Amino acid sequence: MQARAGFDMPQYVLDRVMTKRGRVRVFDTFIAAETALVVVDMQEFYVKDVPSAVAIIPVINRLAAAVREKGGVVAWVKMVAGRNGESLWPIYHDYFFTPENAARHRDNLTEGAPGQELRADLDVAEGDLIANKSRFSAFIPGKSDLPGMLEARGIRNVIITGMLTNFCCETSARDAMMLDYRVAMISDANAARFQEDHDVGFTTVFQSFGDVVTADQMVNEILTSAGDGQGE
């Protein structure tokens, strides 16, 4: 089943969360000046083959505009898999692909390759951050530029969008939380190839790593230009 935009949290997960923490939402407020919208892997090589990723582009653009307007940071994160014909992640390319598919992945995600560029219809603005990573997660120091960029700007909250929900986005959300960021994934601004994959990425994160909310909930209820504190 092809993935669609959006997500409905299963009742059994809601019940488990309520038993564990007594409330559905972990964080009531993200102060915009301490918040980054992190857009993961929305690159031509990936997006062109995943219709659900194309479909979330307007939502990502709307979120980016709202975050900037309220005083937050927008960070576009790109996968870099190769350099000068060599893999930057040999264990992945050597063991998880056929040789032909490994070369395709490596070469299309080498800096300067058309496939490595951000999708052209994303609204990237002057002042936005552009970070590279060479692993699924955008939050592994030494394998991603992003952690240092966010630390330098005093970022405490991250809003995860992009693709794939259950791979790079979920992994980034998990790692961000374990590095003490407050995390929210946007249910209608993440994309996966199949609905089952999309759903499992959110249910896992929601139980112990962060919130799963819609773009409207983030913009209208959670993200604020000023405030006295944050939900714990």
Side-chain angles (χ1 to χ4, degrees):
M1 180 170 54
Q2 188 177 46
R4 56 174 171 76
F7 169 70
D8 298 316
M9 190 67 67
Q11 188 60 48
Y12 81 90
V13 178
L14 291 168
D15 293 343
R16 183 179 299 171
V17 162
M18 288 302 294
T19 299
K20 178 180 180 180
R21 63 181 180 243
R23 61 185 185 275
V24 172
R25 192 175 292 172
V26 185
F27 306 114
D28 296 324
T29 303
F30 280 3
I31 298 173
E34 299 175 343
T35 300
L37 174 68
V38 177
V39 186
V40 179
D41 288 0
M42 291 294 288
Q43 297 160 262
E44 180 61 29
F45 176 69
Y46 290 132
V47 173
K48 66 181 180 180
D49 294 328
V50 183
S52 58
V54 176
I56 64 172
I57 289 173
V59 185
I60 291 174
N61 288 339
R62 179 163 59 88
L63 274 169
V67 168
R68 292 187 203 102
E69 181 181 0
K70 291 176 180 284
V73 171
V74 178
W76 307 89
V77 184
K78 301 195 294 179
M79 182 70 174
V80 182
R83 182 177 297 126
N84 299 322
E86 298 293 328
S87 172
L88 296 180
W89 197 2
I91 194 168
Y92 186 45
H93 289 131
D94 290 349
Y95 291 95
F96 291 85
F97 291 92
T98 65
E100 295 78 13
N101 285 333
R104 178 174 176 266
H105 185 269
R106 179 198 68 212
D107 294 343
N108 279 281
L109 293 171
T110 291
E111 284 189 275
Q116 204 265 340
E117 296 301 320
L118 292 169
R119 181 84 173 187
D121 41 357
L122 293 165
D123 292 339
V124 182
E126 185 176 356
D128 289 353
L129 305 179
I130 306 292
N132 287 330
K133 64 182 177 67
S134 61
R135 298 295 186 270
F136 293 141
S137 174
F139 287 88
I140 301 180
K143 301 299 182 182
S144 173
D145 301 333
L146 186 66
M149 292 178 174
L150 299 185
E151 183 177 0
R153 288 159 178 79
I155 298 300
R156 303 175 65 202
N157 318 306
V158 293
I159 305 166
I160 304 292
T161 65
M163 64 179 297
L164 294 167
T165 311
N166 60 311
F167 268 81
C168 294
C169 296
E170 178 192 341
T171 306
S172 296
R174 287 170 175 251
D175 286 351
M177 180 272 185
M178 290 187 284
L179 290 171
D180 298 322
Y181 291 95
R182 295 173 171 89
V183 175
M185 293 186 76
I186 305 300
S187 59
D188 50 347
N190 280 265
R193 289 186 174 89
F194 302 100
Q195 190 66 41
E196 294 87 350
D197 293 344
H198 188 61
D199 294 354
V200 76
F202 288 141
T203 58
T204 300
V205 167
F206 180 66
Q207 291 181 65
S208 290
F209 296 95
D211 283 315
V212 177
V213 297
T214 66
D216 284 344
Q217 287 173 319
M218 176 55 65
V219 171
N220 298 326
E221 301 174 19
I222 302 169
L223 190 66
T224 181
S225 299
D228 296 325
Q230 307 214 37
E232 295 300 331

